[in-house]
Amino acid sequence: MNRWKISFFLLAGLIAAAIAAVIVLIGSSAESGPLPKMKATDPSDHVLTVTATKEDFEGIANTYIKKAVKGEPLPVTMEVGEDVVLFSEMTVFSYTLPVIMHFDPIVREDGNLILKQSSMEIGQLNLQPETVLKVLRDSVKLPPWMIVRPKEEELFIDLSKIPVSGDLQIKAKTFNLADDEIILEIYIPKE
């Protein structure tokens, strides 16, 4: 066999393997597991209320994402403006495509955050948000406090799992991007 035929078969094999990998990723279940329960705070705990700006929250979030991946390349970066935007990359057929996901923040009753997907861009591809979130969940190593929920088209931010020194616990109280007002409560256990 000449070199041309060998190269052709090798290239065809690589393309077939890439297609199979994409099918497996896309075909994986979109089912989301149950959300973790926020651990109860003691009514006698001290509460420190912190008001932050969008810029402050963005810096804090990106710092904790960087700490969680321990020197590995950042899987996502967050930008907080009119909405919350996550930037990532996805490699398909040896092409790296930028992934930009827009979310609207919702403060849950338990003090955690839900980022509800409002739109997304992935290169020039037109994919369903659920599909992009499935691929993100299955292929990007996110910090354990960021839980991707493809079926619900949302990202759950478990503030109780963010590793803060001591037994401190963080809860969101207000997340108003229009007025640049983010209020967090930090619970400090009474000893």
PDB file of all heavy atoms in Angstrom, residues 36-39 106-114 156-161 169-172:
ATOM      1  N   PRO A  36     -28.198  19.537  46.221  1.00  0.00           N
ATOM      2  CA  PRO A  36     -27.817  19.332  47.619  1.00  0.00           C
ATOM      3  C   PRO A  36     -28.590  20.280  48.525  1.00  0.00           C
ATOM      4  O   PRO A  36     -28.994  21.364  48.118  1.00  0.00           O
ATOM      5  CB  PRO A  36     -26.324  19.660  47.636  1.00  0.00           C
ATOM      6  CG  PRO A  36     -26.072  20.437  46.405  1.00  0.00           C
ATOM      7  CD  PRO A  36     -27.141  20.094  45.426  1.00  0.00           C
ATOM      8  N   LYS A  37     -28.795  19.839  49.739  1.00  0.00           N
ATOM      9  CA  LYS A  37     -29.498  20.664  50.721  1.00  0.00           C
ATOM     10  C   LYS A  37     -28.478  21.580  51.396  1.00  0.00           C
ATOM     11  O   LYS A  37     -27.379  21.176  51.722  1.00  0.00           O
ATOM     12  CB  LYS A  37     -30.160  19.781  51.769  1.00  0.00           C
ATOM     13  CG  LYS A  37     -31.179  18.816  51.177  1.00  0.00           C
ATOM     14  CD  LYS A  37     -32.539  19.089  51.739  1.00  0.00           C
ATOM     15  CE  LYS A  37     -33.542  18.062  51.294  1.00  0.00           C
ATOM     16  NZ  LYS A  37     -34.198  18.364  50.073  1.00  0.00           N
ATOM     17  N   MET A  38     -28.874  22.806  51.592  1.00  0.00           N
ATOM     18  CA  MET A  38     -28.030  23.766  52.305  1.00  0.00           C
ATOM     19  C   MET A  38     -28.052  23.380  53.766  1.00  0.00           C
ATOM     20  O   MET A  38     -29.121  23.130  54.320  1.00  0.00           O
ATOM     21  CB  MET A  38     -28.592  25.176  52.099  1.00  0.00           C
ATOM     22  CG  MET A  38     -27.766  26.267  52.722  1.00  0.00           C
ATOM     23  SD  MET A  38     -26.395  26.632  51.644  1.00  0.00           S
ATOM     24  CE  MET A  38     -26.116  28.336  52.010  1.00  0.00           C
ATOM     25  N   LYS A  39     -26.862  23.305  54.383  1.00  0.00           N
ATOM     26  CA  LYS A  39     -26.866  22.944  55.798  1.00  0.00           C
ATOM     27  C   LYS A  39     -27.477  24.084  56.598  1.00  0.00           C
ATOM     28  O   LYS A  39     -27.283  25.259  56.300  1.00  0.00           O
ATOM     29  CB  LYS A  39     -25.476  22.556  56.282  1.00  0.00           C
ATOM     30  CG  LYS A  39     -24.462  23.646  56.311  1.00  0.00           C
ATOM     31  CD  LYS A  39     -23.138  23.091  56.824  1.00  0.00           C
ATOM     32  CE  LYS A  39     -22.121  24.210  56.890  1.00  0.00           C
ATOM     33  NZ  LYS A  39     -20.833  23.758  57.339  1.00  0.00           N
ATOM     34  N   ILE A 106     -30.689  33.872  39.960  1.00  0.00           N
ATOM     35  CA  ILE A 106     -31.871  33.785  40.813  1.00  0.00           C
ATOM     36  C   ILE A 106     -31.394  33.339  42.197  1.00  0.00           C
ATOM     37  O   ILE A 106     -30.700  32.322  42.321  1.00  0.00           O
ATOM     38  CB  ILE A 106     -32.891  32.755  40.264  1.00  0.00           C
ATOM     39  CG1 ILE A 106     -33.333  33.158  38.856  1.00  0.00           C
ATOM     40  CG2 ILE A 106     -34.076  32.605  41.200  1.00  0.00           C
ATOM     41  CD1 ILE A 106     -34.047  32.058  38.099  1.00  0.00           C
ATOM     42  N   VAL A 107     -31.752  34.099  43.221  1.00  0.00           N
ATOM     43  CA  VAL A 107     -31.402  33.713  44.592  1.00  0.00           C
ATOM     44  C   VAL A 107     -32.490  32.775  45.097  1.00  0.00           C
ATOM     45  O   VAL A 107     -33.667  33.104  45.085  1.00  0.00           O
ATOM     46  CB  VAL A 107     -31.293  34.954  45.508  1.00  0.00           C
ATOM     47  CG1 VAL A 107     -31.039  34.529  46.955  1.00  0.00           C
ATOM     48  CG2 VAL A 107     -30.198  35.885  45.021  1.00  0.00           C
ATOM     49  N   ARG A 108     -32.053  31.590  45.517  1.00  0.00           N
ATOM     50  CA  ARG A 108     -32.999  30.624  46.083  1.00  0.00           C
ATOM     51  C   ARG A 108     -33.297  30.978  47.538  1.00  0.00           C
ATOM     52  O   ARG A 108     -32.539  31.684  48.184  1.00  0.00           O
ATOM     53  CB  ARG A 108     -32.419  29.212  46.005  1.00  0.00           C
ATOM     54  CG  ARG A 108     -32.396  28.658  44.607  1.00  0.00           C
ATOM     55  CD  ARG A 108     -31.729  27.299  44.546  1.00  0.00           C
ATOM     56  NE  ARG A 108     -31.941  26.482  45.719  1.00  0.00           N
ATOM     57  CZ  ARG A 108     -32.528  25.301  45.721  1.00  0.00           C
ATOM     58  NH1 ARG A 108     -32.962  24.790  44.604  1.00  0.00           N
ATOM     59  NH2 ARG A 108     -32.655  24.607  46.831  1.00  0.00           N
ATOM     60  N   GLU A 109     -34.378  30.435  48.028  1.00  0.00           N
ATOM     61  CA  GLU A 109     -34.779  30.664  49.420  1.00  0.00           C
ATOM     62  C   GLU A 109     -33.703  30.216  50.407  1.00  0.00           C
ATOM     63  O   GLU A 109     -33.542  30.806  51.476  1.00  0.00           O
ATOM     64  CB  GLU A 109     -36.082  29.899  49.685  1.00  0.00           C
ATOM     65  CG  GLU A 109     -36.931  30.507  50.755  1.00  0.00           C
ATOM     66  CD  GLU A 109     -38.274  29.826  50.836  1.00  0.00           C
ATOM     67  OE1 GLU A 109     -39.108  30.017  49.926  1.00  0.00           O
ATOM     68  OE2 GLU A 109     -38.476  29.095  51.818  1.00  0.00           O
ATOM     69  N   ASP A 110     -32.943  29.171  50.052  1.00  0.00           N
ATOM     70  CA  ASP A 110     -31.908  28.650  50.953  1.00  0.00           C
ATOM     71  C   ASP A 110     -30.597  29.430  50.873  1.00  0.00           C
ATOM     72  O   ASP A 110     -29.620  29.091  51.527  1.00  0.00           O
ATOM     73  CB  ASP A 110     -31.659  27.162  50.693  1.00  0.00           C
ATOM     74  CG  ASP A 110     -31.070  26.871  49.325  1.00  0.00           C
ATOM     75  OD1 ASP A 110     -30.789  27.811  48.545  1.00  0.00           O
ATOM     76  OD2 ASP A 110     -30.877  25.670  49.005  1.00  0.00           O
ATOM     77  N   GLY A 111     -30.536  30.485  50.035  1.00  0.00           N
ATOM     78  CA  GLY A 111     -29.334  31.314  49.946  1.00  0.00           C
ATOM     79  C   GLY A 111     -28.362  30.891  48.863  1.00  0.00           C
ATOM     80  O   GLY A 111     -27.322  31.519  48.697  1.00  0.00           O
ATOM     81  N   ASN A 112     -28.667  29.844  48.119  1.00  0.00           N
ATOM     82  CA  ASN A 112     -27.824  29.444  46.993  1.00  0.00           C
ATOM     83  C   ASN A 112     -28.271  30.182  45.741  1.00  0.00           C
ATOM     84  O   ASN A 112     -29.312  30.829  45.722  1.00  0.00           O
ATOM     85  CB  ASN A 112     -27.891  27.924  46.782  1.00  0.00           C
ATOM     86  CG  ASN A 112     -27.089  27.181  47.826  1.00  0.00           C
ATOM     87  OD1 ASN A 112     -25.936  27.508  48.080  1.00  0.00           O
ATOM     88  ND2 ASN A 112     -27.693  26.179  48.441  1.00  0.00           N
ATOM     89  N   LEU A 113     -27.479  30.050  44.685  1.00  0.00           N
ATOM     90  CA  LEU A 113     -27.780  30.737  43.428  1.00  0.00           C
ATOM     91  C   LEU A 113     -28.116  29.752  42.324  1.00  0.00           C
ATOM     92  O   LEU A 113     -27.479  28.701  42.206  1.00  0.00           O
ATOM     93  CB  LEU A 113     -26.565  31.543  42.952  1.00  0.00           C
ATOM     94  CG  LEU A 113     -26.279  32.859  43.616  1.00  0.00           C
ATOM     95  CD1 LEU A 113     -24.974  33.444  43.079  1.00  0.00           C
ATOM     96  CD2 LEU A 113     -27.405  33.841  43.380  1.00  0.00           C
ATOM     97  N   ILE A 114     -29.085  30.112  41.524  1.00  0.00           N
ATOM     98  CA  ILE A 114     -29.378  29.401  40.284  1.00  0.00           C
ATOM     99  C   ILE A 114     -29.033  30.369  39.164  1.00  0.00           C
ATOM    100  O   ILE A 114     -29.473  31.525  39.178  1.00  0.00           O
ATOM    101  CB  ILE A 114     -30.874  29.011  40.174  1.00  0.00           C
ATOM    102  CG1 ILE A 114     -31.247  27.966  41.206  1.00  0.00           C
ATOM    103  CG2 ILE A 114     -31.217  28.543  38.767  1.00  0.00           C
ATOM    104  CD1 ILE A 114     -30.808  26.557  40.900  1.00  0.00           C
ATOM    105  N   PHE A 156     -26.285  25.447  39.003  1.00  0.00           N
ATOM    106  CA  PHE A 156     -26.551  25.642  40.427  1.00  0.00           C
ATOM    107  C   PHE A 156     -25.228  25.976  41.102  1.00  0.00           C
ATOM    108  O   PHE A 156     -24.251  25.247  40.957  1.00  0.00           O
ATOM    109  CB  PHE A 156     -27.151  24.361  41.011  1.00  0.00           C
ATOM    110  CG  PHE A 156     -27.394  24.416  42.497  1.00  0.00           C
ATOM    111  CD1 PHE A 156     -28.409  25.182  43.024  1.00  0.00           C
ATOM    112  CD2 PHE A 156     -26.606  23.677  43.365  1.00  0.00           C
ATOM    113  CE1 PHE A 156     -28.644  25.239  44.390  1.00  0.00           C
ATOM    114  CE2 PHE A 156     -26.831  23.706  44.730  1.00  0.00           C
ATOM    115  CZ  PHE A 156     -27.852  24.494  45.242  1.00  0.00           C
ATOM    116  N   ILE A 157     -25.196  27.096  41.805  1.00  0.00           N
ATOM    117  CA  ILE A 157     -24.007  27.495  42.559  1.00  0.00           C
ATOM    118  C   ILE A 157     -24.284  27.204  44.025  1.00  0.00           C
ATOM    119  O   ILE A 157     -25.092  27.878  44.661  1.00  0.00           O
ATOM    120  CB  ILE A 157     -23.676  28.998  42.364  1.00  0.00           C
ATOM    121  CG1 ILE A 157     -23.580  29.358  40.881  1.00  0.00           C
ATOM    122  CG2 ILE A 157     -22.403  29.366  43.123  1.00  0.00           C
ATOM    123  CD1 ILE A 157     -22.444  28.729  40.138  1.00  0.00           C
ATOM    124  N   ASP A 158     -23.623  26.167  44.540  1.00  0.00           N
ATOM    125  CA  ASP A 158     -23.806  25.740  45.921  1.00  0.00           C
ATOM    126  C   ASP A 158     -22.850  26.527  46.814  1.00  0.00           C
ATOM    127  O   ASP A 158     -21.702  26.138  47.022  1.00  0.00           O
ATOM    128  CB  ASP A 158     -23.557  24.236  46.030  1.00  0.00           C
ATOM    129  CG  ASP A 158     -23.940  23.670  47.373  1.00  0.00           C
ATOM    130  OD1 ASP A 158     -24.271  24.445  48.293  1.00  0.00           O
ATOM    131  OD2 ASP A 158     -23.915  22.430  47.511  1.00  0.00           O
ATOM    132  N   LEU A 159     -23.317  27.667  47.293  1.00  0.00           N
ATOM    133  CA  LEU A 159     -22.466  28.552  48.084  1.00  0.00           C
ATOM    134  C   LEU A 159     -21.963  27.890  49.367  1.00  0.00           C
ATOM    135  O   LEU A 159     -20.899  28.248  49.865  1.00  0.00           O
ATOM    136  CB  LEU A 159     -23.219  29.845  48.410  1.00  0.00           C
ATOM    137  CG  LEU A 159     -23.540  30.734  47.203  1.00  0.00           C
ATOM    138  CD1 LEU A 159     -24.403  31.919  47.627  1.00  0.00           C
ATOM    139  CD2 LEU A 159     -22.286  31.206  46.511  1.00  0.00           C
ATOM    140  N   SER A 160     -22.696  26.906  49.885  1.00  0.00           N
ATOM    141  CA  SER A 160     -22.265  26.241  51.119  1.00  0.00           C
ATOM    142  C   SER A 160     -21.038  25.363  50.887  1.00  0.00           C
ATOM    143  O   SER A 160     -20.357  24.996  51.834  1.00  0.00           O
ATOM    144  CB  SER A 160     -23.402  25.408  51.706  1.00  0.00           C
ATOM    145  OG  SER A 160     -23.695  24.300  50.876  1.00  0.00           O
ATOM    146  N   LYS A 161     -20.737  25.023  49.638  1.00  0.00           N
ATOM    147  CA  LYS A 161     -19.596  24.153  49.328  1.00  0.00           C
ATOM    148  C   LYS A 161     -18.340  24.931  48.937  1.00  0.00           C
ATOM    149  O   LYS A 161     -17.293  24.348  48.711  1.00  0.00           O
ATOM    150  CB  LYS A 161     -19.951  23.202  48.181  1.00  0.00           C
ATOM    151  CG  LYS A 161     -21.078  22.252  48.498  1.00  0.00           C
ATOM    152  CD  LYS A 161     -20.613  21.148  49.415  1.00  0.00           C
ATOM    153  CE  LYS A 161     -21.636  20.044  49.515  1.00  0.00           C
ATOM    154  NZ  LYS A 161     -22.430  20.042  50.694  1.00  0.00           N
ATOM    155  N   GLN A 169     -20.128  30.061  56.558  1.00  0.00           N
ATOM    156  CA  GLN A 169     -21.078  29.647  55.531  1.00  0.00           C
ATOM    157  C   GLN A 169     -21.582  30.894  54.822  1.00  0.00           C
ATOM    158  O   GLN A 169     -21.909  31.891  55.471  1.00  0.00           O
ATOM    159  CB  GLN A 169     -22.240  28.877  56.144  1.00  0.00           C
ATOM    160  CG  GLN A 169     -23.156  28.278  55.115  1.00  0.00           C
ATOM    161  CD  GLN A 169     -24.215  27.397  55.763  1.00  0.00           C
ATOM    162  OE1 GLN A 169     -24.220  27.158  56.960  1.00  0.00           O
ATOM    163  NE2 GLN A 169     -25.126  26.904  54.957  1.00  0.00           N
ATOM    164  N   ILE A 170     -21.644  30.829  53.501  1.00  0.00           N
ATOM    165  CA  ILE A 170     -22.072  31.979  52.705  1.00  0.00           C
ATOM    166  C   ILE A 170     -23.462  31.714  52.146  1.00  0.00           C
ATOM    167  O   ILE A 170     -23.752  30.615  51.676  1.00  0.00           O
ATOM    168  CB  ILE A 170     -21.092  32.237  51.541  1.00  0.00           C
ATOM    169  CG1 ILE A 170     -19.695  32.499  52.072  1.00  0.00           C
ATOM    170  CG2 ILE A 170     -21.570  33.399  50.679  1.00  0.00           C
ATOM    171  CD1 ILE A 170     -18.646  32.580  50.999  1.00  0.00           C
ATOM    172  N   LYS A 171     -24.291  32.750  52.184  1.00  0.00           N
ATOM    173  CA  LYS A 171     -25.613  32.697  51.559  1.00  0.00           C
ATOM    174  C   LYS A 171     -25.818  33.990  50.776  1.00  0.00           C
ATOM    175  O   LYS A 171     -25.377  35.055  51.209  1.00  0.00           O
ATOM    176  CB  LYS A 171     -26.723  32.567  52.605  1.00  0.00           C
ATOM    177  CG  LYS A 171     -26.755  31.235  53.310  1.00  0.00           C
ATOM    178  CD  LYS A 171     -27.949  31.159  54.237  1.00  0.00           C
ATOM    179  CE  LYS A 171     -28.047  29.793  54.883  1.00  0.00           C
ATOM    180  NZ  LYS A 171     -29.290  29.632  55.630  1.00  0.00           N
ATOM    181  N   ALA A 172     -26.487  33.871  49.655  1.00  0.00           N
ATOM    182  CA  ALA A 172     -26.850  35.067  48.891  1.00  0.00           C
ATOM    183  C   ALA A 172     -28.180  35.585  49.410  1.00  0.00           C
ATOM    184  O   ALA A 172     -29.073  34.810  49.726  1.00  0.00           O
ATOM    185  CB  ALA A 172     -26.948  34.726  47.406  1.00  0.00           C
TER     186      ALA A 172
END
